[in-house]
Amino acid sequence: MKVKQISIFLENKSGRLADVTETLGSAEINIRALSIADTSDFGILRLIVDQPDKALAILKEEGFTVNETEVVAVGVDDTPGGLAKALAVLKEEEINIEYMYAFIGRASGDALVVFRVQEIERANQVLKERDFNLLSAEEVYEL
Amino acid sequence: MIWNQKYESMDRQNLEELQVKRLQETINRLIENVPFYQQKLSALDVQAEDIKSISDLSKLPFTTKEDLRDNYPYGLFATPLKEIVRIHSSSGTTGQPTVVGYTQDDIEIWTELMARTMSCGGVSKGDIVQNAFGYGLFTGGLGIHYGAEKVGASVIPISGGNTKRQIRLMEDFGSTALMCTPSYALYIAEVAAEMGFDIKNSKLEYGIFGAEPWSDNMRREIEELLGITAIDIYGLSEIIGPGVASECEVQDGLHIFEDHFIPEIIDPETGENLGYGTKGELVFTTITKTGLPILRYRTKDISVLHQEKCSCGRTSVRMERISGRVDDMLIIRGVNVFPSQIESILLDISETKPHYQLVVEREDSLDQLEVQVEISEAIFSDEVRRLESLERKIHGEIESVLGISVNVKLVEPHTIPRSEGKAQRVVDKREL
Ligand SMILES: [Zn+2]
């Protein structure tokens, strides 16, 4: 299933992350998952939120540089080796993972992981074929 | 078409002999009539006979805009005022205005040079020239006017402004050539579209544009929107006005009318002549003017001179389109850096012109240049490696063009201060 992810460009200066979370908080948007990738001078904040379209509009209005991409959200066994199984499938299918991160919440005992891949349709398909628990956008936003 | 085959296609040796002869006459005229030059030349112990070849030009003193201001209004005129038949003046937007005077001979030379410019742009007898350069103290309007009449074109002296009327007249009178600033040409295209006048398929065929900096992309846009061939012209009132140099139909640099003006490119810091093919400050010496002859006038415009022969048949040296002003120049580790160079690199990479700022600092007695580029949605990506590769690309391009290594930093939008619509491009934090 495809889930909307919002990415935000942040300069590495104090308070910018708080600015984003405050902006979203005051619009009553809930963050479901979050990751930050950073270099020495900038960072990219990636978010899964419950109302992605609204979040995108509000952040743009506040002058942030944002974009929206689609990611795969998949539930993996919350046991040792659970994540490794999903990664093995993608490796076997030669689907390149740009990056991945874990969810804060969980769904029916599974740990949730977000994969950013170029071939999103195929990633969905191969994981589904192997009976991984793929979450729909609605399920993710409502966690 | 070449207006003056003899002078525009002269072989280099004959041209240089002519230049030296005319330069000597100019020096004698100045020593005799202008105390300012008389003193400068005698301090340097230079006389006309010391100029034996063009390379001796570097023995002569420079003239700056300040010199003209200091001698306001008539102090540098080389003829009695009664010989002056025309007086123009530059706008005093950046200080005291400067005044230039023309003798009857000067007006004839100017007319000849503007006729050459018209021919460069394809304009000839039978054309209907809509001259939207301003008439008045500014040299653009009258300069164009005389040249267009000289080639036998019908001139509409409409001057600038009143754009709707410009477009109505263009349609009713069947203008075949438009002359104005490039930005005004774009504005005319915009208003014409609003008015429902199909300017692209009108009789308009040629455009001669100048008096402000523009880019090749802008030229293509103008040519596309107006359905014309557009050429760039260059001039400045201190030298003569428009008519110093003009592009030909080849559109690859502007031919300098060297039988009247000797061009040089110098290092703006040291004054050293940089020769052909190197970017630097453009300097002109007038060698035929009698009202206000000027030695080595520092234009503060940045260009490059090329000596290779043009396929149009003209033999004169060509100057590249002006790429910036000396006042904007930075010296980083001994290398001259113009913000315009960095701007064009960024434009090539991102396709839309980003906001940027150059920050110079000195760390351990070494200059560091940081290029801050505002991120935009067009270049933003959720993947770190893409943004890092963008930074590396900017770094690599700047290094290959300027020969210096800079720090590239992507910054958030609207973080680079803007003032009065014009962004501050350079922040120099060095304490020298
Ligand atoms: Zn040519």
Side-chain angles (χ1 to χ4, degrees), chain B residues 248 250 255 310 312:
Chain B
C248 62
V250 180
H255 288 280
C310 181
C312 72

Side-chain angles (χ1 to χ4, degrees), chain A residues 5 7-11 16 37 39 41-42 44 46 60 65-66 69 98-99 116 118, chain B residues 375-377 380-388 391 408-415:
Chain A
Q5 170 192 265
S7 308
I8 303 142
F9 180 88
L10 294 179
E11 256 178 77
R16 292 306 280 159
T39 70
D41 56 47
F42 67 84
I44 302 171
R46 297 140 182 167
K60 273 191 188 178
T65 301
V66 286
T69 38
E98 302 292 347
Y99 55 82
R116 166 78 161 102
Q118 294 298 341
Chain B
I375 194 101
S376 65
E377 272 174 41
F380 178 52
S381 161
D382 62 312
E383 294 170 43
V384 173
R385 66 181 172 92
R386 295 208 179 200
L387 294 185
E388 284 184 330
E391 285 185 334
V408 177
K409 186 179 179 196
L410 297 175
V411 299
E412 286 181 35
H414 310 292
T415 49

Side-chain angles (χ1 to χ4, degrees), chain B residues 247-253 255 310-314 318:
Chain B
E247 271 185 335
C248 62
E249 68 275 11
V250 180
Q251 296 182 329
D252 184 21
H255 288 280
C310 181
S311 58
C312 72
R314 292 177 183 84
R318 281 171 292 158

Side-chain angles (χ1 to χ4, degrees), chain B residues 48-63:
Chain B
E49 306 86 79
D50 297 323
I51 306 301
K52 296 185 179 72
S53 74
I54 291 303
S55 58
D56 292 327
L57 203 59
S58 55
K59 293 177 179 165
L60 299 174
F62 288 116
T63 308

Side-chain angles (χ1 to χ4, degrees), chain B residues 34 125 268 280 299:
Chain B
V34 186
K125 192 175 174 69
T299 65

